[in-house]
Amino acid sequence: MHFSIPDTQETYADGNNSVGGASPTYTVFNIYINGNYHCCLRYKQLHALHEQLRRRRADAPLPTFPPKKLLPLSSSQIETRRAALEHYLQIIGQDARIARLPYLQQFLQRAQLDTALAEGNISSEEQLQQLQVQVYSGGGGNGTGGQLLVNCHVQQNASSLLQCVTRALDLPDELTQYFCLYLMREEEDQQLLLRRLMDFEAPFITRLHMQPCQLLLRTCYWNARYDAKLLPNQVALNLLYQQTLADVSREWIICAPEMRHELRAIQLQSGPLPYLELVRQLPSYGCLQFGTAQVDYPQAGTKATIIIGNGELSLRTDRGPKIYETKFRVRRMRCWRVIAMHNTFESRDQPSQLQLSFEYLMNKQTLRWITISSDQAMVMSVSLQAMVDELLLSEKECEREQQSESEASTSTGISESSSSTPSTNSATSSSSSALHHSTPPVKFLAQCSKQQHKLTTARTFAAVFFRNDETAAASVRNEAFEGIGDDDL
């Protein structure tokens, strides 16, 4: 979760912030999560959250919480507290042991609901609404699908709404984990992904702050091997097939004219399985494509289309009649951060100016910062984090498989000389697995700039930091930083 608190507001006892001559009773802090306004909270509510987190996760040391003050705060003291609370939330938001706590998720969801009630965005938490979800369900020959109407309560979180959607489609519950909900917007025949919905938020309320937008059902994994989980079920197969048709149609999946003609023939004659078998061989299968952004690589001011998938972030640029694609492997990204420029005089529903920057290992001795300026920078960052999480999970699964094979070999009486190698591998895997369980997968990087402008302030929401120092207590091992030669890059 990427937190920021760009500003505060004074709240009166009667809830009216424009009562002439009245004195404000308390200050509330406007909380933004993943780039969008989420809720407003008082200091005492955040302090209560801190105490609960401290009790629930004694194994995860919490950062120091800003101290209480006995006397009313001056404007400068409020600003100091705002900055300190923002820093506190940024740190806990990047510690997976804390960020994934059900209590924290429920606290943030409840805060969003209470804020929406107080601001009059909803009339009741039991309010029932109909939401339209775009589903790739075979509504058109190009996989555009159709709209599915789903009844939901305004307080339902993303998982609850996702379950309503998948059950309406008759998808088995055990396959729901392979799908997720996005907020997206159609612009000039392009589908722009705005946000991947999470369990700390109510999709109905989040959607109110991001209009115009629609809900979209898509697969949530990055490794195509998980397709095998969906193919045996007809409903899941159809969803995957229609999603792939749509991606080919809008050119998220790039293929030559000859391949496109062949795919069209298979679509008409053979059906989903042969079609998917052929498309899965294409390098851009399973990738998400984002809108045109401004990047500073290979030179400042370059316009590029951003693609994320297959363990890479790619920049696709037009240079005259030719299209070039530059690929950056996620394992070679030392760290990344998202920076937002908030204008506090604008509506909180207006998008911020966002930048995604990552430090990349260009060769054995050279690291370079590359910056992408895009309104979709936040969902790009969330996508990179999801990809890293999946890579780490895959490594753990491989380690467990190796350990199981080693134990099986030992139990069948393999000779001491032949069993020594897998035994050593098993010990290494066990140690690495223990490290992954005992340390958070991300570490927050402090703000790079404290410069402030009269109208806008720069906030670093978060950074994911991989370190190759295995002796550091909070390090996460990244194989990409060890033993790399120039020929490997």
Side-chain angles (χ1 to χ4, degrees), residues 37 42 45 84 89 104 111 116 136 225 233 236 248 260 293 318 332 369-370 387 403 405 410 418 437 447 450 461:
Y37 176 70
R42 297 179 64 177
Q45 292 173 296
L89 290 175
L104 178 60
Y136 301 115
R225 69 187 178 90
N233 179 268
V248 171
R260 187 176 291 273
D318 297 333
R332 305 285 162 81
W369 279 98
I370 296 170
M387 194 185 305
Q403 188 174 7
E405 291 174 1
T410 304
S418 63
H437 282 294
Q447 289 179 232
K450 295 184 179 179
F461 281 10

Side-chain angles (χ1 to χ4, degrees), residues 38-39 41 45-46 48-49 102-112 200:
H38 184 80
C39 64
L41 290 170
Q45 292 173 296
L46 290 168
L49 169 65
Y103 179 82
L104 178 60
Q105 304 271 333
Q106 292 162 10
F107 175 89
L108 293 172
Q109 186 188 356
R110 183 73 236 180
Q112 184 189 42
F200 61 78

Side-chain angles (χ1 to χ4, degrees), residues 238-448:
N238 187 54
L239 289 170
L240 179 62
Y241 174 56
Q242 295 297 331
Q243 174 182 295
T244 306
L245 288 176
D247 289 351
V248 171
S249 176
R250 66 171 63 95
E251 297 185 348
W252 282 23
I253 298 177
I254 302 297
C255 52
E258 299 81 10
M259 174 67 77
R260 187 176 291 273
H261 180 75
E262 183 179 356
L263 288 172
R264 182 62 178 170
I266 293 176
Q267 178 186 347
L268 295 175
Q269 299 172 10
S270 303
L273 286 174
Y275 187 94
L276 289 171
E277 183 178 351
L278 183 59
V279 173
R280 291 176 74 224
Q281 301 174 21
L282 298 174
S284 51
Y285 175 78
C287 295
L288 293 182
Q289 182 170 306
F290 301 88
T292 303
Q294 183 170 299
V295 300
D296 61 359
Y297 185 91
Q299 59 189 12
T302 300
K303 298 290 185 181
T305 300
I306 312 300
I307 300 96
I308 294 179
N310 296 323
E312 298 170 335
L313 183 150
S314 303
L315 308 179
R316 192 177 295 157
T317 56
D318 297 333
R319 303 179 197 171
K322 295 184 178 180
I323 298 176
Y324 292 83
E325 190 168 57
T326 306
K327 297 179 181 291
F328 299 93
R329 294 177 59 183
V330 170
R331 289 185 180 274
R332 305 285 162 81
M333 294 180 184
R334 182 174 179 267
C335 60
W336 73 80
R337 62 172 179 256
V338 179
I339 299 175
M341 301 295 293
H342 293 286
N343 190 329
T344 56
F345 285 93
E346 293 180 355
S347 166
R348 63 169 63 115
D349 296 337
Q350 295 297 317
S352 306
Q353 298 177 37
L354 298 173
Q355 289 182 343
L356 171 68
S357 301
F358 59 90
E359 191 177 24
Y360 193 74
L361 188 66
M362 305 298 290
N363 55 51
K364 192 172 184 179
Q365 301 296 332
T366 306
L367 286 162
R368 172 174 172 174
W369 279 98
I370 296 170
T371 299
I372 301 169
S373 298
S374 169
D375 290 340
Q376 296 175 284
M378 193 61 69
V379 72
M380 291 179 195
S381 176
V382 171
S383 298
L384 288 175
Q385 183 62 64
M387 194 185 305
V388 168
D389 289 343
E390 191 171 287
L391 287 171
L392 294 176
L393 178 62
S394 179
E395 288 179 0
K396 290 178 183 178
E397 291 174 350
C398 290
E399 289 167 1
R400 284 195 292 266
E401 290 174 2
Q402 291 175 2
Q403 188 174 7
S404 298
E405 291 174 1
S406 174
E407 292 172 352
S409 298
T410 304
S411 64
T412 53
I414 297 180
S415 66
E416 198 173 311
S417 59
S418 63
S419 65
S420 60
T421 299
S423 175
T424 303
N425 289 341
S426 174
T428 303
S429 298
S430 176
S431 173
S432 178
S433 178
L435 175 66
H436 288 160
H437 282 294
S438 62
T439 60
V442 294
K443 182 185 178 187
F444 177 73
L445 289 180
Q447 289 179 232
C448 293

Side-chain angles (χ1 to χ4, degrees), residues 122-134:
I122 57 175
S123 58
S124 167
E125 61 183 86
E126 298 300 326
Q127 185 178 339
L128 191 66
Q129 291 285 340
Q130 270 197 333
L131 288 179
Q132 284 190 338
V133 182
Q134 183 167 322

Side-chain angles (χ1 to χ4, degrees), residues 114-245:
D114 290 342
T115 300
L117 286 168
E119 295 177 347
N121 293 324
I122 57 175
S123 58
S124 167
E125 61 183 86
E126 298 300 326
Q127 185 178 339
L128 191 66
Q129 291 285 340
Q130 270 197 333
L131 288 179
Q132 284 190 338
V133 182
Q134 183 167 322
V135 178
Y136 301 115
S137 56
N142 62 354
T144 55
Q147 299 289 337
L148 176 70
L149 284 174
V150 179
N151 291 321
C152 75
H153 288 91
V154 295
Q155 83 274 20
Q156 281 185 283
N157 66 7
S159 290
S160 179
L161 179 60
L162 175 63
Q163 191 171 62
C164 291
V165 172
T166 55
R167 285 181 176 177
L169 295 168
D170 293 326
L171 184 73
D173 287 347
E174 62 269 18
L175 298 182
T176 299
Q177 62 181 307
Y178 300 105
F179 293 86
C180 65
L181 292 171
Y182 284 91
L183 286 178
M184 67 88 176
R185 182 180 298 143
E186 298 281 357
E187 289 185 1
E188 300 177 354
D189 298 327
Q190 289 187 346
Q191 187 180 87
L192 298 180
L193 297 178
L194 305 177
R195 186 181 185 89
R196 177 171 168 174
L197 293 167
M198 305 291 188
D199 279 348
F200 61 78
E201 60 192 332
F204 178 82
I205 300 175
T206 300
R207 181 172 165 269
L208 291 177
H209 293 297
M210 301 186 68
Q211 292 287 12
C213 61
Q214 293 177 270
L215 287 161
L216 172 69
L217 179 71
R218 277 190 70 92
T219 52
C220 64
Y221 53 84
W222 300 93
N223 193 327
R225 69 187 178 90
Y226 290 109
D227 285 351
K229 303 288 187 180
L230 305 183
L231 298 181
N233 179 268
Q234 189 59 44
V235 175
L237 170 62
N238 187 54
L239 289 170
L240 179 62
Y241 174 56
Q242 295 297 331
Q243 174 182 295
T244 306
L245 288 176

